[in-house]
Amino acid sequence: MAAPKPEEISHPPMDQLQGLEYCIDSNPSWGEAIALGFQHYILALGTAVMIPSFLVPLMGGDHGDKVRVVQTLLFVEGINTLLQTLFGTRLPTVIGGSYAFMVPIISIIHDPSLMSIQDDHVRFLNTMRAVQGALIVSSSIQIILGYSQLWAICSRFFSPLGMVPVISLVGFGLFDRGFPLVGRCVEIGIPMLILFIAFSQYLKNFQTRQLPILERFALLICITVIWAYAHLLTASGAYKHRPELTQVNCRTDKAYLISSAPWIKIPYPLQWGAPTFDAGHCFGMMAAVIVSLIESTGAYKAASRLASATPPPAHVLSRGIGWQGIGILLDGMFGTLSGSTVSVENVGLLGSTRVGSRRVIQISAGFMIFFSMLGKFGALFASIPFPIFAAVYCVLFGLVASVGLSFLQFTNMNSMRNLFITGVALFLGLSVPEYFRAYTAKAFHGPAHTRAGWFNDFLNTIFFSSPTVALIVAVFLDNTLDYKDSARDRGMTWWVRFRSFNGDSRNEEFYTLPFNLNRFFPPS
């Protein structure tokens, strides 16, 4: 028997993923695009509700305050998503709230000067203003790094090998928001997980009028079915005598969002009052802004592959970071109680639906803005139990992580150097944040615990983030360990042509600014 030929046992590296129905600049029909945009809006609700639901009670806020914060966060998410898809990277990415900001915000909440306020509502307002001030000041980090093109210069030290742990841990690093939250209500979480996998993968070839409806709209269909099932359990009294934590996670009437939401409310800047500024709060928040920048860098590169685009050139990536800084500034002005980053779950949904269209994401931004102003309707969708979202995250976060691993095809993984760098960066990227999380859960403060609160917040925030730890380790090792003789092994011969806008003719198709704005901002 003849030996197999090399092309029969290996797959050549490919710049763009195959099998995607719509790429970044191709669009489905308007009806399908609107349905897909609504699906992205529903998915974005998970984080938009979860962050305020955790933080607002700690600040002394009531259900009405929580609803206003959720509305404001969704409203600004919509604006930031439009800005990013029009003038930023122009990739189909939803810009949502970020968990990276939790550590410095919780530190602000526990500031003794704020904790000493007796009136809960006054404490809520003063804490919100302090968070706003910190976000406004710290947004300058991304604005400066982005518009000065400093982040573009930094990105020249990135290689495909160095980016693999970063992009992978954008997904893998969120493992605690997956099955651990599904387990809080297994009777709705596990059916959602099984149904979503079955519809999006095993039944994906089922078509109606040549439209793969189960694959394309698996999220909407599954959420509708499981949400109705959860409401049936709630109405039948299945949780009447269950523990409070179970009721909060399983019942469809425990969010108190619909009853507390106004019919119409338009968020506006400084609605909570004039922001207050404290140097310590601002320094701590700057670490979260840096983490957001790194996580978004990985998410942008994942989104480019799932949208069948080329990797964003350095100046396009930097431009996107600049607009993201503007987004964090808007977060501070409006009072969203969180900074902005790329929504990882929505990036994963691009791959699940095989639709990477920019128009779909812009439509989802329209839904965010519209339903954030119509409070009752938006609150209805936002009352979906969180284990339903967590079940979907188990699939979508894993999909984003696997996109990061796909960059290994451009490197030589028969090199011990590359195996060392990839393994160490991935392991430390998971292990170090887990140590910080476990330490904090036991001691009620992070491992960095000095008298300088801003210093503690800075270090604890940085090392809570898996992609940030992975970037520090991978980029350092990749640029110091036998780097002179390993350009080909690192994948730099493939990567270098995507650094500049003119390096690949396809970049113009994907990343050119609209309205002929490239006349005023020529690509570098």
Side-chain angles (χ1 to χ4, degrees), residues 43 196 344-346 348-349 352 392-401:
L43 184 60
F196 183 67
V344 179
E345 54 268 34
N346 289 89
L349 190 59
S352 176
V392 179
Y393 294 167
C394 291
V395 176
L396 301 183
F397 289 163
L399 184 55
V400 173

Side-chain angles (χ1 to χ4, degrees), residues 40 47 53 78 95 97 104 112 155 171 178 225 260 283 301 306 365 397 404 414 442 463 469 487-488 498:
H40 275 277
T47 300
S53 296
I95 306 300
S155 70
V225 171
S260 304
F283 276 115
K301 293 185 182 298
L306 290 173
F397 289 163
N414 290 315
K442 185 176 181 180
F463 291 106
V469 174
R488 187 178 182 85
F498 298 116

Side-chain angles (χ1 to χ4, degrees), residues 52 56 65-73 128 272 336-337:
V56 169
D65 296 322
K66 180 173 71 174
V67 167
R68 284 186 65 191
V69 174
V70 171
Q71 285 181 281
T72 304
L73 180 53
M128 176 63 82
W272 312 104
T336 62
L337 201 57

